[in-house]
Amino acid sequence: MLDWLTGTKIPVGDTAEAAFDWLQARGGAVFDRIADTLQGLIDAILWVLQTPHPLIVVAAFVALTWVLQRSWQTCLLVAVGFLFILNQGYWKATTESLTLVLSACVVCMGLGVPIGIWAAHRPRVYEAMRPVLDLMQTLPTFVYLIPAIVFFGIGMVPGLIATVIFVLPAPIRLTQLGIAAVPKPLLEAADAFGATPRQKLMKVELPSAFPQIMAGLNQTIMLSLSMVVIAALVGAAGLGVPVVRALNSVNTGLGFEAGFVIVVLAILLDRMLRVRR
């Protein structure tokens, strides 16, 4: 009955494969440069987190929490959380996952905030961009691993690339929302005082949109943490590795232990970067 519909298949998969083959053949040097740059970023963050004594790193996170939150309760929570991770023996894996998360934050916020500002100033561009952002967030994350492996091999870099593709829509959307929601009286007052577009952006729009931009950073961190297990499937080190190992060996204790550490890390990062009202 459906032969007329299924007889001629639209070559979606073949087209995608041909596109990836063309990119791999023509863009090898570009992908190598991207991989080297991202690997350098990953190595630098890993060095900062793993070279000092763990207690020094914990103290630095507590100090950063005090600067951001001015709350001794939050500082105590961060200290207890990281000491718990040390107690469970997951410090090295935690620093590796933090490296993936922080690298994703640098790339996603570095790209997402400017793109969000650009989209907020050009509504038609954002309307054209929305289907692409929807596709990036709804396409199964495992699909991203295939081209990441093809272009970048195995390791932290393909895990970071897959994470960035999945996470990038969040800072773009929230930055666009914040800039587009700036009250018109503020913009009119800036225009009345003769502010240039750059001055209006730096002194009016960005301060007004700061809570939304910080919410984008928070979402970037949370979504990046949700990718640590998936990134482990392409050789990315971190807390995803024991989870995958537990899944392969049906080890309930190991899986719950590593999963609980991921939850603790997510809570700590969320409390550290929560915007104070």
Side-chain angles (χ1 to χ4, degrees), residues 171-253:
I172 292 177
R173 290 183 189 275
L174 286 165
T175 301
Q176 188 276 336
L177 176 64
I179 298 295
V182 175
K184 288 185 178 180
L186 286 179
L187 299 176
E188 292 171 355
D191 290 333
F193 281 100
T196 64
R198 180 181 179 84
Q199 290 173 330
K200 189 161 60 174
L201 172 65
M202 299 302 296
K203 297 184 178 182
V204 177
E205 292 178 328
L206 287 179
S208 178
F210 182 73
Q212 285 80 9
I213 294 174
M214 287 300 295
L217 175 60
N218 186 281
Q219 285 298 300
T220 298
I221 291 173
M222 295 301 107
L223 292 172
S224 299
L225 273 174
S226 72
M227 288 289 291
V228 296
V229 176
I230 296 174
L233 297 176
V234 293
L239 292 169
V241 174
V243 175
V244 173
R245 189 182 303 126
L247 179 63
N248 292 333
S249 60
V250 198
N251 189 332
T252 306

Side-chain angles (χ1 to χ4, degrees), residues 111-144:
L111 294 175
V113 172
I115 293 174
I117 293 171
W118 179 55
H121 290 156
R122 293 166 177 80
R124 290 186 179 180
V125 170
Y126 183 64
E127 287 301 318
M129 194 185 298
R130 285 178 62 183
V132 179
L133 299 178
D134 292 339
L135 178 66
M136 291 169 68
Q137 286 192 307
T138 56
L139 196 67
T141 50
F142 286 98
V143 177
Y144 298 139

Side-chain angles (χ1 to χ4, degrees), residues 47-63:
W47 185 87
V48 170
L49 293 177
Q50 292 186 345
T51 301
H53 191 278
L55 293 180
I56 295 177
V57 179
V58 172
F61 275 109
V62 173

Side-chain angles (χ1 to χ4, degrees), residues 1-10:
M1 293 294 293
L2 294 178
D3 291 344
W4 63 273
L5 182 60
T6 59
T8 305
K9 182 179 178 181
I10 299 174

